[in-house]
Amino acid sequence: MSDMLGTEVPVPVPVQASTEPAEPPLVSYVLPVYDEIGAIRRFHEQLAGAVAERPEFDYEFIYVNDGSTDGSLRALHDIAKNDERVRVVDLARNFGHQIAITAGLDHADGDAVITMDTDLQDPPEVSLELLDEWLDGAEIVSARRGTRQDSKFKRATAHAYYRVLRRCADVKIPLDTGDFRLLDRRAAEELRGFRERSRFIRGMVASMGFEQSEVVFDRDERVTGNTKYPLRRMLRLAADGVTGFSTAPLKLITRIGFAGLVLSAIGILYAVGMRVFMPEVTVSGWTMLMVVLLFVGGAQMLSLGVIGGYIGRIYHEVQQRPLYIVRDVVRYDAD
């Protein structure tokens, strides 16, 4: 075709729309495992059955073996042989639950990443509700425990801990939520940038912002085995949460010091007054002296302990050692 001046004018070629179907979103499940031989096969069966109800997604299941000693690794190999979606990340030793989740996140490629435990206390069906919230626009979806089938002691301590932590922390940490949550790809990428060793992932997630929502569910009773968070580990996790996201203990030291100063001033006034007005009974001040000495000594030891906790965190961070070491990554392809 040419115009009136004889110049060739290119003929527009219609652009045909691509007929290739878009790939479905990939959902990655990050699943830490530590001595779960009694529940791991049953868990995978229930998880596979749950995701079969949502065929519009592709799935990958990343099991992180955190130094299990009870045959869980062999069971994971068998599961991987029968399900090509399974990948097994075998850590060189037991690094702890929070580190195992971190290792799984580092290996996840999904558009959405779901982290959950494998002891069947977190029902796999609830993860589908997390996906629904994600489709509605949420970038981080936490599973909040409405009820939980634990001992009265654990329920009471957990209830108190989350509320004390929320009051002390510098970020708004959701109440009654563990590490069962969904992260959008962008949120997961940002979380991978948090590399501190004393990890409290639920606090890290809360500190990132993004569009967050939650799903309330009833937590089931453990199917088999013992809890992987006995009192000692619970206290350690609590300390990581408080010292990692709050300076409240340091502020408490200042308040204790001020209270000690006030009591010392009262003790001085009392001693001087007794010496001036009732010199014959000044020996009776021995009780007050012992109380003040014991209080000041206890406050000093508590203060040193709190400061030592923060210094210990600094010591571990400056070592710059790897968070974990992977022995092997196992995946069985369909061929």
Side-chain angles (χ1 to χ4, degrees), residues 114-115 125-135 141-143 180-182 214-215:
I114 296 175
T115 62
E125 296 79 11
V126 177
S127 66
L128 304 182
E129 299 181 36
L130 304 184
L131 285 172
D132 291 333
E133 290 289 319
W134 175 57
L135 293 176
V141 188
S142 299
F180 185 11
R181 66 173 50 83
L182 178 146
E214 60 183 29
V215 170

Side-chain angles (χ1 to χ4, degrees), residues 229-245:
Y229 270 103
L231 182 59
R232 176 178 59 84
R233 288 196 175 185
M234 286 178 61
L235 292 175
R236 181 176 179 180
L237 183 65
D240 287 339
V242 172
T243 57
F245 293 91

